Amino acid sequence: MKLRVRINRQTSRVELLGEDPSLKELIDHIKENVLCSHGLSAESEFSVSLNGSELLSDAGQTLSSCGIVSGDLISVILPESVAAGADHAENQREEQNQQNAAMASNQPSSSGGGGGGGGGGGGGGGGTAALTESEETPDMLNCEPSASSWEPMLCSEAEDGEAPLALELLYHLAQVTSPSEAVVVAGNRLMLETGFVPQCVCCVCVPGCELNTSEMPAGWRSAGGVYKLQYTHPLCDRSLVTVVTVCMGPVLVINAVLKVNQTVETVRKLCLNPASYVTDEWPGDAAAAAFKDLKKLSRIFKDQLAYPLIAAARAAMALPVAFGLAALPPELLLRVLRLLDVTSVVRLSSVCRHFNVATADSTLWRHLFRRDFTDSDPNRPRDTDWKELYKRFYKIRYDLRRARHHSLPPFHRHPRDIFQPAPLHPPLPGIIGGEYDQRPNLPHGLFPRPRHDPIGPHRDHDRRPVTDSRRFRPIGGRPADVRRGFI
């Protein structure tokens, strides 16, 4: 297991043998090999920590049980007295190294002075180079690696408070005067990261006028908050991208126009809020302090502007796709498709002809069939149409699930049980507050008139008025023609 051990802001690399070393082995290795390289005694007291705050106690557990994996950074925490002594010894060692370097630089000049003349001076110069190399090479070979200082190379790798060196140089030379200009500078760097080559704005008609990528092109900003940049791309010959950025209040509107053979092919638009990506410290020269959330800015800018421009340019020139899922070779594309569900595979097949051919592969459907269903016949012939087999099994499973979902248990009801409400299919229309609402337990057809005829005398089945005073009255002595809904 390979680990990094940090003592007094200096990092050393250690390697522990064995598949699962213990915490005690790590502590012993630090005592025997690491402390002495930092000018500390092997008997010095110290504690180890994984994240600098929680101490790890040696209770016989292994490193993996403590959550330590290969490549982690182990912090060695020293007492204040021991840490102060180590800092003092480190300062003395640095001063001694500086003195040795000064003596080494002065010694060749005095030895070369005895040569006399121009030839003697040249010989002294050769002696200087040889002596310096002979003195510094052993120290460079024997020294321990210093503290690992990882810095981002791309904007997508930068955390808050960090910025790539290329963006730092570009931001320093641009001399921005507003947060909008800071976003334009970052957008120019993102275009360069995707392979675009900046072009001079003043000489549009001259092809191949490339500029220095470490500085903004001349004339990139104009009065009124309008910024203009032009690019070409090596994957898209005879194409020109013009990016015009306009300040619209708090929003920065970026319009990118793609021209292929002097013909406008596509226009892309992106709206950004500079306050979301620029801090209050933008007036300085440090891009790391001026920007925040560079990862999000890089993702949005490249996904919505840079990459679509490249794809549109290559499509306009009838060139093959240079990146994305369609650029993968067939074997890698099949490895991706086998991880998708069948719905995604079917939808992907309708995107283009290339994906339609790739998703029709027999081995892909064989894998999907055996993944989603239990194959009752493992010895199927080689010429089996696995896609049609999958469709047949999928339809059977779908019909079974649908039938199970729509089938309801039977409704058992005693024919004389009038106190249990019977289901009404379809529900009867009527008056709110009528007889059916007052007595929902009564069976249908008990009342001598339809529910939807509230006005007029009761009629029998032959549509004649009912005059029999002995007609049925509901339970409770209340007459059947009560119109409580109209009171």
Coordinates of all heavy atoms in Angstrom, one line a residue, residues 233-323:
H233 N -11.1 26.2 -35.9 CA -10.8 24.9 -35.2 C -10.1 24.0 -36.2 O -10.5 23.9 -37.4 CB -12.1 24.3 -34.7 CG -11.9 23.3 -33.6 ND1 -11.4 22.0 -33.8 CD2 -12.0 23.4 -32.3 CE1 -11.3 21.3 -32.7 NE2 -11.6 22.2 -31.7
P234 N -9.1 23.3 -35.8 CA -8.4 22.4 -36.7 C -9.2 21.2 -37.2 O -9.0 20.7 -38.3 CB -7.2 21.9 -35.9 CG -7.5 22.1 -34.5 CD -8.4 23.3 -34.5
L235 N -10.3 20.8 -36.5 CA -11.2 19.7 -36.9 C -12.2 20.2 -37.9 O -12.9 19.4 -38.5 CB -11.8 19.1 -35.7 CG -11.0 18.4 -34.7 CD1 -11.8 17.8 -33.5 CD2 -10.2 17.3 -35.4
C236 N -12.3 21.5 -38.1 CA -13.3 22.1 -38.9 C -12.7 23.1 -39.9 O -12.7 24.3 -39.6 CB -14.5 22.8 -38.1 SG -15.1 21.8 -36.8
D237 N -12.1 22.7 -40.9 CA -11.4 23.6 -41.9 C -12.5 24.4 -42.6 O -13.6 24.0 -42.8 CB -10.6 22.8 -42.9 CG -9.5 22.0 -42.3 OD1 -9.0 22.4 -41.2 OD2 -9.1 20.9 -42.8
R238 N -12.0 25.6 -43.0 CA -12.9 26.6 -43.7 C -14.1 27.0 -42.9 O -15.1 27.3 -43.5 CB -13.3 26.0 -45.1 CG -12.2 25.5 -46.0 CD -12.7 25.0 -47.3 NE -13.8 24.0 -47.1 CZ -13.5 22.7 -46.9 NH1 -12.3 22.3 -46.8 NH2 -14.5 21.9 -46.8
S239 N -13.9 27.0 -41.6 CA -15.0 27.5 -40.7 C -14.5 28.6 -39.8 O -13.3 28.6 -39.5 CB -15.5 26.3 -39.9 OG -14.6 25.9 -39.0
L240 N -15.4 29.5 -39.5 CA -15.0 30.6 -38.6 C -16.1 30.8 -37.6 O -17.3 30.9 -38.0 CB -14.8 31.9 -39.5 CG -14.5 33.2 -38.7 CD1 -13.1 33.0 -38.1 CD2 -14.5 34.4 -39.6
V241 N -15.7 30.9 -36.4 CA -16.7 31.1 -35.3 C -16.5 32.5 -34.7 O -15.4 32.9 -34.3 CB -16.5 30.1 -34.2 CG1 -17.4 30.4 -33.0 CG2 -16.8 28.7 -34.7
T242 N -17.5 33.3 -34.7 CA -17.5 34.7 -34.2 C -18.4 34.7 -32.9 O -19.6 34.4 -32.9 CB -18.1 35.7 -35.2 OG1 -17.3 35.6 -36.4 CG2 -18.0 37.1 -34.6
V243 N -17.7 35.0 -31.8 CA -18.4 35.1 -30.5 C -18.5 36.5 -30.1 O -17.5 37.2 -29.9 CB -17.6 34.3 -29.4 CG1 -18.3 34.4 -28.1 CG2 -17.4 32.9 -29.8
V244 N -19.8 37.0 -30.0 CA -20.1 38.4 -29.6 C -20.8 38.3 -28.3 O -21.8 37.7 -28.1 CB -21.0 39.1 -30.7 CG1 -21.3 40.5 -30.2 CG2 -20.3 39.1 -32.0
T245 N -20.3 39.0 -27.3 CA -20.8 39.1 -25.9 C -21.3 40.5 -25.6 O -20.6 41.5 -25.9 CB -19.7 38.7 -24.9 OG1 -19.2 37.4 -25.3 CG2 -20.3 38.5 -23.5
V246 N -22.5 40.5 -25.1 CA -23.2 41.8 -24.9 C -23.7 41.8 -23.4 O -24.3 40.8 -23.0 CB -24.4 42.1 -25.8 CG1 -25.0 43.5 -25.6 CG2 -23.9 42.0 -27.3
C247 N -23.5 42.9 -22.7 CA -24.0 43.1 -21.4 C -25.4 43.6 -21.4 O -25.7 44.7 -21.9 CB -23.1 44.0 -20.6 SG -21.4 43.5 -20.3
M248 N -26.4 42.8 -20.9 CA -27.8 43.1 -20.8 C -28.2 43.2 -19.4 O -28.8 42.3 -18.8 CB -28.6 42.1 -21.6 CG -28.2 41.9 -23.0 SD -28.6 43.3 -24.1 CE -30.4 43.1 -24.1
G249 N -27.8 44.3 -18.7 CA -28.1 44.5 -17.3 C -27.2 43.5 -16.5 O -26.0 43.5 -16.7
P250 N -27.8 42.7 -15.6 CA -27.0 41.8 -14.8 C -26.6 40.5 -15.5 O -25.9 39.7 -15.0 CB -27.9 41.5 -13.6 CG -29.3 41.7 -14.1 CD -29.2 42.8 -15.1
V251 N -27.2 40.4 -16.8 CA -27.0 39.1 -17.5 C -26.0 39.4 -18.7 O -26.0 40.5 -19.3 CB -28.3 38.6 -18.1 CG1 -28.1 37.3 -18.9 CG2 -29.3 38.4 -16.9
L252 N -25.2 38.4 -18.9 CA -24.2 38.5 -20.0 C -24.7 37.5 -21.1 O -24.8 36.3 -20.9 CB -22.8 38.1 -19.5 CG -21.6 38.5 -20.4 CD1 -21.5 40.0 -20.4 CD2 -20.3 37.8 -19.8
V253 N -25.0 38.1 -22.3 CA -25.5 37.3 -23.4 C -24.4 37.0 -24.4 O -23.8 37.9 -24.9 CB -26.7 38.0 -24.1 CG1 -27.2 37.2 -25.2 CG2 -27.8 38.4 -23.1
I254 N -24.1 35.7 -24.6 CA -23.1 35.3 -25.5 C -23.7 34.7 -26.7 O -24.4 33.7 -26.7 CB -22.1 34.3 -24.8 CG1 -21.6 34.9 -23.5 CG2 -21.0 33.9 -25.7 CD1 -20.8 33.9 -22.7
N255 N -23.4 35.3 -27.9 CA -23.9 34.8 -29.2 C -22.7 34.3 -30.0 O -21.8 35.0 -30.2 CB -24.7 35.9 -29.9 CG -25.9 36.4 -29.2 OD1 -26.9 35.7 -29.2 ND2 -25.8 37.5 -28.5
A256 N -22.8 33.1 -30.5 CA -21.8 32.4 -31.3 C -22.3 32.1 -32.6 O -23.3 31.4 -32.7 CB -21.2 31.2 -30.6
V257 N -21.7 32.7 -33.7 CA -22.2 32.5 -35.1 C -21.1 31.6 -35.8 O -19.9 32.0 -35.8 CB -22.4 33.8 -35.8 CG1 -22.9 33.6 -37.2 CG2 -23.4 34.7 -35.0
L258 N -21.5 30.5 -36.4 CA -20.7 29.7 -37.1 C -20.9 29.9 -38.6 O -22.0 29.8 -39.1 CB -21.0 28.2 -36.8 CG -20.2 27.1 -37.6 CD1 -18.7 27.2 -37.4 CD2 -20.8 25.7 -37.3
K259 N -19.8 30.1 -39.3 CA -19.8 30.3 -40.8 C -18.9 29.3 -41.4 O -17.7 29.1 -41.0 CB -19.3 31.7 -41.2 CG -20.3 32.8 -40.8 CD -19.8 34.2 -41.3 CE -20.7 35.3 -41.0 NZ -20.2 36.6 -41.5
V260 N -19.4 28.6 -42.4 CA -18.7 27.6 -43.1 C -18.7 28.0 -44.6 O -19.8 28.1 -45.2 CB -19.3 26.2 -43.0 CG1 -18.5 25.2 -43.8 CG2 -19.2 25.8 -41.5
N261 N -17.6 28.3 -45.2 CA -17.5 28.8 -46.5 C -18.3 30.1 -46.7 O -19.1 30.2 -47.6 CB -17.9 27.7 -47.6 CG -17.0 26.5 -47.5 OD1 -15.8 26.7 -47.3 ND2 -17.5 25.4 -47.8
Q262 N -18.1 31.0 -45.7 CA -18.8 32.3 -45.8 C -20.3 32.2 -45.7 O -21.1 33.1 -46.1 CB -18.4 33.1 -47.0 CG -16.9 33.3 -47.1 CD -16.4 34.1 -45.9 OE1 -17.0 35.0 -45.4 NE2 -15.1 33.8 -45.5
T263 N -20.8 31.0 -45.2 CA -22.3 30.8 -45.1 C -22.6 30.5 -43.7 O -22.0 29.7 -43.0 CB -22.8 29.7 -46.0 OG1 -22.4 29.9 -47.3 CG2 -24.3 29.5 -45.9
V264 N -23.6 31.2 -43.1 CA -24.0 31.0 -41.7 C -24.7 29.7 -41.6 O -25.7 29.5 -42.3 CB -24.9 32.2 -41.2 CG1 -25.3 31.9 -39.8 CG2 -24.2 33.5 -41.3
E265 N -24.2 28.8 -40.8 CA -24.7 27.5 -40.6 C -25.5 27.4 -39.3 O -26.6 26.8 -39.3 CB -23.6 26.5 -40.5 CG -22.9 26.3 -41.9 CD -23.7 25.8 -43.0 OE1 -24.8 25.1 -42.6 OE2 -23.4 25.9 -44.1
T266 N -25.1 28.0 -38.2 CA -25.8 27.9 -36.9 C -25.4 29.0 -36.0 O -24.4 29.7 -36.2 CB -25.4 26.5 -36.2 OG1 -26.2 26.4 -35.0 CG2 -23.9 26.5 -35.8
V267 N -26.3 29.3 -35.1 CA -26.2 30.4 -34.1 C -26.5 29.8 -32.8 O -27.6 29.2 -32.6 CB -27.1 31.6 -34.4 CG1 -26.9 32.7 -33.4 CG2 -26.8 32.2 -35.8
R268 N -25.6 29.9 -31.9 CA -25.8 29.4 -30.5 C -25.8 30.6 -29.5 O -25.1 31.7 -29.7 CB -24.6 28.5 -30.1 CG -24.4 27.3 -31.0 CD -25.5 26.3 -30.9 NE -25.6 25.8 -29.5 CZ -26.5 24.8 -29.2 NH1 -27.3 24.3 -30.1 NH2 -26.6 24.4 -27.9
K269 N -26.6 30.5 -28.5 CA -26.8 31.6 -27.5 C -26.7 31.0 -26.1 O -27.2 30.0 -25.8 CB -28.2 32.2 -27.7 CG -28.5 33.4 -26.8 CD -29.8 34.0 -27.1 CE -30.1 35.1 -26.1 NZ -31.5 35.7 -26.3
L270 N -26.0 31.8 -25.3 CA -25.8 31.4 -23.9 C -25.9 32.6 -23.0 O -25.3 33.6 -23.3 CB -24.4 30.7 -23.7 CG -24.0 30.3 -22.3 CD1 -25.0 29.2 -21.8 CD2 -22.6 29.8 -22.3
C271 N -26.7 32.5 -22.0 CA -26.9 33.6 -21.0 C -26.2 33.2 -19.7 O -26.5 32.1 -19.1 CB -28.3 33.9 -20.8 SG -29.2 34.5 -22.3
L272 N -25.4 34.1 -19.1 CA -24.7 33.8 -17.9 C -24.9 35.0 -17.0 O -25.0 36.2 -17.5 CB -23.2 33.5 -18.1 CG -22.8 32.3 -18.9 CD1 -21.3 32.3 -19.2 CD2 -23.3 31.0 -18.2
N273 N -24.8 34.7 -15.7 CA -24.8 35.8 -14.7 C -23.4 35.9 -14.1 O -23.0 35.0 -13.4 CB -25.9 35.5 -13.6 CG -26.0 36.6 -12.6 OD1 -25.4 37.7 -12.8 ND2 -26.9 36.4 -11.6
P274 N -22.7 37.0 -14.4 CA -21.3 37.1 -13.9 C -21.2 37.0 -12.3 O -20.2 36.5 -11.8 CB -20.9 38.5 -14.3 CG -21.8 38.8 -15.5 CD -23.1 38.2 -15.2
A275 N -22.3 37.4 -11.6 CA -22.2 37.3 -10.1 C -22.1 35.9 -9.7 O -21.7 35.6 -8.5 CB -23.4 38.0 -9.5
S276 N -22.5 34.9 -10.5 CA -22.5 33.5 -10.1 C -21.1 32.9 -10.2 O -20.8 31.8 -9.6 CB -23.5 32.7 -10.9 OG -24.8 33.2 -10.8
Y277 N -20.2 33.6 -10.9 CA -18.9 33.0 -11.2 C -17.7 33.9 -10.9 O -16.6 33.5 -11.0 CB -18.8 32.6 -12.7 CG -19.9 31.7 -13.1 CD1 -20.9 32.2 -13.9 CD2 -20.0 30.4 -12.8 CE1 -22.0 31.4 -14.3 CE2 -21.0 29.6 -13.2 CZ -22.0 30.1 -14.0 OH -23.1 29.3 -14.4
V278 N -18.0 35.2 -10.5 CA -17.0 36.1 -10.2 C -17.2 36.6 -8.7 O -18.3 37.0 -8.4 CB -17.0 37.3 -11.2 CG1 -15.9 38.3 -10.8 CG2 -16.8 36.8 -12.6
T279 N -16.1 36.7 -8.0 CA -16.2 37.1 -6.6 C -16.0 38.6 -6.5 O -15.8 39.3 -7.5 CB -15.1 36.4 -5.8 OG1 -13.8 36.8 -6.3 CG2 -15.2 34.9 -5.9
D280 N -16.0 39.1 -5.3 CA -15.8 40.6 -5.1 C -14.4 41.0 -5.2 O -14.1 42.2 -5.2 CB -16.4 41.0 -3.7 CG -17.9 40.8 -3.6 OD1 -18.5 40.8 -4.7 OD2 -18.4 40.6 -2.5
E281 N -13.5 40.0 -5.3 CA -12.0 40.3 -5.4 C -11.5 40.3 -6.8 O -10.3 40.1 -7.1 CB -11.2 39.3 -4.6 CG -11.6 39.2 -3.1 CD -10.8 38.2 -2.4 OE1 -9.9 37.6 -2.9 OE2 -11.2 37.9 -1.2
W282 N -12.4 40.5 -7.8 CA -12.0 40.5 -9.2 C -11.1 41.7 -9.6 O -10.3 41.5 -10.6 CB -13.3 40.5 -10.1 CG -14.1 41.8 -10.0 CD1 -15.2 41.9 -9.2 CD2 -13.9 43.0 -10.7 NE1 -15.7 43.2 -9.3 CE2 -14.9 43.9 -10.2 CE3 -13.0 43.5 -11.6 CZ2 -15.1 45.2 -10.7 CZ3 -13.1 44.8 -12.1 CH2 -14.1 45.6 -11.6
P283 N -11.1 42.8 -8.9 CA -10.2 43.9 -9.4 C -8.7 43.5 -9.3 O -7.8 44.2 -9.9 CB -10.5 45.1 -8.4 CG -11.9 44.8 -8.0 CD -12.0 43.3 -7.8
G284 N -8.3 42.5 -8.5 CA -6.9 42.1 -8.4 C -6.4 41.4 -9.6 O -7.1 41.2 -10.6
D285 N -5.1 41.0 -9.6 CA -4.5 40.3 -10.7 C -4.6 38.8 -10.6 O -4.1 38.1 -11.4 CB -3.1 40.7 -10.9 CG -3.0 42.2 -11.3 OD1 -3.9 42.7 -11.9 OD2 -1.9 42.8 -11.0
A286 N -5.1 38.3 -9.5 CA -5.1 36.8 -9.2 C -6.5 36.3 -9.7 O -7.5 36.6 -9.2 CB -4.9 36.5 -7.7
A287 N -6.4 35.4 -10.7 CA -7.6 34.7 -11.2 C -8.2 33.7 -10.1 O -9.4 33.5 -10.1 CB -7.3 34.0 -12.5
A288 N -7.3 33.1 -9.3 CA -7.8 32.2 -8.3 C -8.7 32.9 -7.3 O -9.7 32.3 -6.8 CB -6.6 31.6 -7.6
A289 N -8.4 34.1 -7.0 CA -9.3 34.9 -6.0 C -10.5 35.5 -6.8 O -11.5 35.8 -6.1 CB -8.5 35.9 -5.3
A290 N -10.4 35.7 -8.1 CA -11.5 36.4 -8.8 C -12.6 35.5 -9.2 O -13.7 36.0 -9.3 CB -10.9 37.1 -10.0
F291 N -12.3 34.2 -9.4 CA -13.3 33.3 -9.9 C -13.8 32.4 -8.8 O -13.1 32.1 -7.9 CB -12.8 32.5 -11.1 CG -12.6 33.3 -12.3 CD1 -11.3 33.8 -12.7 CD2 -13.6 33.7 -13.2 CE1 -11.1 34.5 -13.8 CE2 -13.4 34.4 -14.3 CZ -12.2 34.9 -14.6
K292 N -15.0 31.9 -9.0 CA -15.6 30.8 -8.2 C -16.4 29.9 -9.0 O -17.0 30.3 -10.0 CB -16.4 31.4 -7.0 CG -17.6 32.2 -7.5 CD -18.4 32.8 -6.4 CE -19.6 33.6 -6.9 NZ -20.4 34.2 -5.8
D293 N -16.5 28.7 -8.6 CA -17.3 27.7 -9.3 C -16.9 27.6 -10.8 O -17.7 27.6 -11.7 CB -18.8 28.0 -9.2 CG -19.6 26.7 -9.2 OD1 -19.1 25.6 -9.5 OD2 -20.8 26.8 -9.0
L294 N -15.6 27.5 -11.0 CA -15.1 27.3 -12.4 C -15.5 26.0 -13.0 O -15.7 25.9 -14.2 CB -13.6 27.4 -12.4 CG -13.0 28.9 -12.5 CD1 -11.5 28.8 -12.4 CD2 -13.4 29.6 -13.7
K295 N -15.7 25.0 -12.2 CA -16.2 23.7 -12.8 C -17.5 23.8 -13.4 O -17.7 23.3 -14.6 CB -16.3 22.6 -11.6 CG -14.9 22.1 -11.1 CD -15.1 21.0 -10.1 CE -13.8 20.4 -9.7 NZ -14.0 19.3 -8.7
K296 N -18.5 24.5 -12.8 CA -19.8 24.7 -13.4 C -19.7 25.5 -14.6 O -20.4 25.3 -15.6 CB -20.7 25.3 -12.3 CG -22.1 25.5 -12.8 CD -23.0 26.1 -11.7 CE -24.4 26.3 -12.3 NZ -25.3 27.0 -11.2
L297 N -18.9 26.6 -14.6 CA -18.8 27.5 -15.7 C -18.2 26.7 -16.9 O -18.7 26.9 -18.1 CB -17.9 28.7 -15.4 CG -17.6 29.7 -16.5 CD1 -18.9 30.3 -17.0 CD2 -16.7 30.8 -16.0
S298 N -17.2 25.9 -16.7 CA -16.6 25.1 -17.7 C -17.6 24.1 -18.3 O -17.7 24.0 -19.5 CB -15.4 24.4 -17.2 OG -14.8 23.5 -18.2
R299 N -18.4 23.4 -17.5 CA -19.3 22.5 -18.0 C -20.4 23.1 -18.8 O -20.8 22.7 -19.9 CB -20.0 21.7 -16.8 CG -20.9 20.6 -17.2 CD -21.5 19.9 -16.0 NE -22.4 20.8 -15.2 CZ -22.1 21.2 -14.0 NH1 -20.9 21.0 -13.5 NH2 -22.9 22.0 -13.4
I300 N -21.0 24.3 -18.3 CA -22.1 24.9 -19.1 C -21.5 25.5 -20.4 O -22.2 25.4 -21.4 CB -22.7 26.0 -18.2 CG1 -23.4 25.4 -17.0 CG2 -23.6 26.9 -19.0 CD1 -24.0 26.4 -16.0
F301 N -20.4 26.1 -20.4 CA -19.9 26.8 -21.5 C -19.5 25.8 -22.6 O -19.8 26.0 -23.8 CB -18.6 27.6 -21.2 CG -18.2 28.6 -22.2 CD1 -18.7 29.9 -22.2 CD2 -17.3 28.2 -23.2 CE1 -18.3 30.8 -23.2 CE2 -17.0 29.1 -24.2 CZ -17.4 30.4 -24.2
K302 N -18.9 24.7 -22.2 CA -18.5 23.7 -23.2 C -19.6 22.9 -23.8 O -19.7 22.6 -25.0 CB -17.4 22.8 -22.6 CG -16.1 23.5 -22.4 CD -15.1 22.5 -21.8 CE -13.8 23.2 -21.5 NZ -12.8 22.2 -20.9
D303 N -20.6 22.5 -22.9 CA -21.7 21.7 -23.3 C -22.7 22.5 -24.2 O -23.3 21.9 -25.1 CB -22.4 21.1 -22.1 CG -21.5 20.0 -21.4 OD1 -20.5 19.6 -22.0 OD2 -21.9 19.7 -20.3
Q304 N -22.9 23.7 -23.9 CA -23.9 24.5 -24.6 C -23.4 25.4 -25.7 O -24.1 25.9 -26.5 CB -24.7 25.4 -23.6 CG -25.4 24.6 -22.5 CD -26.3 25.5 -21.6 OE1 -26.6 26.6 -22.0 NE2 -26.6 25.0 -20.4
L305 N -22.0 25.6 -25.8 CA -21.5 26.5 -26.8 C -20.4 25.8 -27.6 O -20.5 25.7 -28.8 CB -21.0 27.7 -26.1 CG -20.9 29.0 -27.0 CD1 -22.4 29.4 -27.4 CD2 -20.2 30.1 -26.3
A306 N -19.3 25.4 -26.9 CA -18.1 25.0 -27.7 C -18.3 23.7 -28.4 O -18.1 23.6 -29.7 CB -16.9 24.8 -26.7
Y307 N -18.7 22.6 -27.7 CA -18.9 21.4 -28.4 C -20.0 21.4 -29.5 O -19.9 20.8 -30.5 CB -19.2 20.3 -27.4 CG -18.0 20.0 -26.5 CD1 -18.1 19.7 -25.1 CD2 -16.7 20.0 -27.0 CE1 -17.0 19.4 -24.3 CE2 -15.6 19.8 -26.2 CZ -15.7 19.4 -24.9 OH -14.6 19.2 -24.1
P308 N -21.2 22.0 -29.2 CA -22.2 22.1 -30.3 C -21.7 22.8 -31.6 O -22.1 22.4 -32.7 CB -23.3 22.8 -29.7 CG -23.2 22.5 -28.2 CD -21.8 22.5 -28.0
L309 N -20.8 23.8 -31.4 CA -20.2 24.5 -32.6 C -19.4 23.5 -33.4 O -19.4 23.5 -34.6 CB -19.4 25.7 -32.1 CG -20.3 26.9 -31.6 CD1 -19.3 27.9 -31.0 CD2 -21.1 27.4 -32.7
I310 N -18.5 22.7 -32.7 CA -17.7 21.8 -33.4 C -18.6 20.7 -34.2 O -18.3 20.4 -35.3 CB -16.7 21.1 -32.5 CG1 -15.8 22.1 -31.8 CG2 -15.8 20.1 -33.2 CD1 -14.9 21.6 -30.7
A311 N -19.6 20.2 -33.5 CA -20.4 19.2 -34.1 C -21.2 19.8 -35.3 O -21.3 19.2 -36.3 CB -21.4 18.7 -33.1
A312 N -21.7 21.1 -35.2 CA -22.4 21.7 -36.3 C -21.5 21.9 -37.5 O -21.9 21.8 -38.6 CB -23.1 23.0 -35.8
A313 N -20.3 22.4 -37.2 CA -19.3 22.6 -38.3 C -19.0 21.3 -39.0 O -19.0 21.3 -40.3 CB -18.1 23.3 -37.7
R314 N -18.7 20.3 -38.3 CA -18.4 19.0 -39.0 C -19.6 18.4 -39.7 O -19.5 17.8 -40.8 CB -17.8 18.0 -38.0 CG -16.5 18.4 -37.4 CD -15.9 17.4 -36.5 NE -15.6 16.1 -37.2 CZ -14.5 15.9 -37.9 NH1 -13.5 16.9 -37.9 NH2 -14.2 14.8 -38.5
A315 N -20.8 18.6 -39.2 CA -22.0 18.2 -39.9 C -22.2 19.0 -41.2 O -22.7 18.4 -42.2 CB -23.2 18.2 -39.0
A316 N -21.9 20.3 -41.1 CA -22.1 21.1 -42.3 C -21.2 20.7 -43.4 O -21.5 20.9 -44.6 CB -22.0 22.6 -42.0
M317 N -20.0 20.2 -43.1 CA -19.0 19.9 -44.1 C -19.0 18.4 -44.4 O -18.1 17.8 -45.0 CB -17.6 20.3 -43.6 CG -17.4 21.8 -43.5 SD -15.7 22.3 -43.0 CE -15.8 21.7 -41.3
A318 N -20.1 17.7 -43.9 CA -20.2 16.2 -44.1 C -19.0 15.4 -43.6 O -18.6 14.5 -44.3 CB -20.5 16.0 -45.6
L319 N -18.5 15.8 -42.5 CA -17.4 15.1 -41.8 C -17.9 14.2 -40.8 O -19.0 14.4 -40.2 CB -16.4 16.1 -41.3 CG -15.7 17.0 -42.3 CD1 -14.8 18.0 -41.5 CD2 -14.8 16.2 -43.2
P320 N -17.2 13.1 -40.5 CA -17.6 12.2 -39.4 C -17.6 12.9 -38.0 O -16.9 13.9 -37.8 CB -16.7 11.0 -39.5 CG -15.5 11.6 -40.1 CD -16.0 12.6 -41.1
V321 N -18.4 12.4 -37.1 CA -18.4 12.9 -35.7 C -17.0 12.7 -35.1 O -16.4 11.6 -35.2 CB -19.5 12.2 -34.9 CG1 -19.6 12.8 -33.5 CG2 -20.8 12.4 -35.6
A322 N -16.6 13.7 -34.4 CA -15.2 13.7 -33.8 C -15.2 13.3 -32.4 O -14.2 12.9 -31.8 CB -14.5 15.1 -34.0
F323 N -16.4 13.4 -31.7 CA -16.4 13.1 -30.3 C -17.8 12.7 -29.9 O -18.7 12.7 -30.8 CB -16.0 14.3 -29.4 CG -16.7 15.5 -29.7 CD1 -18.0 15.8 -29.1 CD2 -16.3 16.4 -30.7 CE1 -18.7 17.0 -29.4 CE2 -17.0 17.6 -31.0 CZ -18.2 17.8 -30.3

